[in-house]
Amino acid sequence: MADLRLYAIGIDEVRRMYGADDDSEPVFRDILATAFAPPAPPKAPGLLGKIGPLFKRDPYAPVVNPSNPTPEDVDAFLDGESIDPDRVPAAWRILETLVHGRAWGSIRLPMTPQQVDDVDFALARGGVSAAVGLRHLFQSATEINLVPAQGLRVGWHDNGRALAMADAYRSALTEIDTTEQQEMIAGLVTWMDGFPHWAEVAREQHRAVPDLVGFWVS
């Protein structure tokens, strides 16, 4: 299913995740160790269950999804090493996992490209500029130093534009026709209303104020 995931986090923090510095690496490793902990091996069956032909592979070993990041993927990512082409999807999974772990807030919207266009059209009818539309979010280059992954779009708006989005979407709510779109946009506005508070906390913790960063699998 198409999935749009938005995060409140400074884009410069995101850019520095690949090839992490010494201060950040332990924090990142803790996040990734929790997210990608290997599953517990199943208990081996009793003696009768072991009778049969010999296996080249341990039949009781856990099955690992080949797209899941491996410890080698994590090391290569955090060290800023070159990523093998077949491991690019895993590298982006690592990045988004770190973004999720360090973000001040996040929201997930199941949306196909057609649904995004429909929402943007409804917002435009309510007077919202295309410059703060959902699709336009993914036209801003993130300058993240990773090869793009097939089927994944990543974009961002700075903090000021995120605040402008919230105000514009709020003003357009009464012009939205369908209940489904109204509820979705209202939920998004409520979430984006957290940006001023998150910015205050970020400054107190000497972190960058949050920008709006999006990952869209379409």
Side-chain angles (χ1 to χ4, degrees), residues 28 71 160 185 191:
F28 293 170
I185 295 171
W191 178 74

Side-chain angles (χ1 to χ4, degrees), residues 136-150:
H136 194 270
L137 174 68
F138 296 95
Q139 296 177 6
S140 301
T142 60
E143 299 180 7
I144 295 171
N145 193 25
L146 287 173
V147 175
Q150 185 175 5

Side-chain angles (χ1 to χ4, degrees):
M1 176 181 288
D3 205 19
L4 193 157
R5 302 179 291 270
L6 303 177
Y7 301 95
I9 186 172
I11 189 63
D12 286 338
E13 290 190 59
V14 178
R15 291 167 180 158
R16 291 195 296 267
M17 288 175 172
Y18 174 52
D21 59 36
D22 292 340
D23 291 335
S24 300
E25 183 173 348
V27 176
F28 293 170
R29 286 194 179 276
D30 285 346
I31 293 172
L32 297 172
T34 300
F36 302 123
K43 294 181 179 180
L47 180 61
L48 291 177
K50 293 183 181 180
I51 298 175
L54 294 177
F55 292 88
K56 293 182 179 179
R57 173 188 173 276
D58 182 356
Y60 312 119
V63 177
V64 178
N65 186 329
S67 67
N68 283 348
T70 66
E72 292 76 18
D73 292 327
V74 170
D75 289 342
F77 182 95
L78 295 179
D79 291 341
E81 297 177 1
S82 177
I83 306 297
D84 290 340
D86 62 336
R87 303 311 299 165
V88 167
W92 280 102
R93 285 199 63 192
I94 291 170
L95 179 68
E96 188 174 359
T97 299
L98 293 176
V99 169
H100 185 274
R102 295 290 289 165
W104 300 102
S106 63
I107 188 170
R108 183 172 184 169
L109 305 171
M111 297 187 74
T112 65
Q114 184 60 55
Q115 288 172 317
V116 168
D117 288 341
D118 290 345
V119 167
D120 277 351
F121 183 70
L123 289 168
R125 289 201 311 270
V128 175
S129 167
V132 289
L134 289 176
R135 186 173 284 277
H136 194 270
L137 174 68
F138 296 95
Q139 296 177 6
S140 301
T142 60
E143 299 180 7
I144 295 171
N145 193 25
L146 287 173
V147 175
Q150 185 175 5
L152 174 67
R153 305 180 194 182
V154 182
W156 74 290
H157 283 330
D158 63 25
N159 181 270
R161 184 161 291 190
L163 297 177
M165 285 178 67
D167 289 341
Y169 289 16
R170 185 183 296 105
S171 67
L173 271 173
T174 57
E175 303 299 324
I176 305 303
D177 294 333
T178 70
T179 301
E180 181 181 2
Q181 288 178 339
Q182 281 185 340
E183 291 178 349
M184 190 280 292
I185 295 171
L188 183 54
V189 168
T190 298
W191 178 74
M192 289 193 292
D193 281 343
F195 271 73
H197 170 69
W198 294 327
E200 290 180 7
V201 178
R203 293 187 186 98
E204 291 172 359
Q205 297 187 13
H206 306 288
R207 287 179 59 187
V209 297
D211 300 309
L212 177 63
V213 178
F215 288 69
W216 186 21
V217 177
S218 59

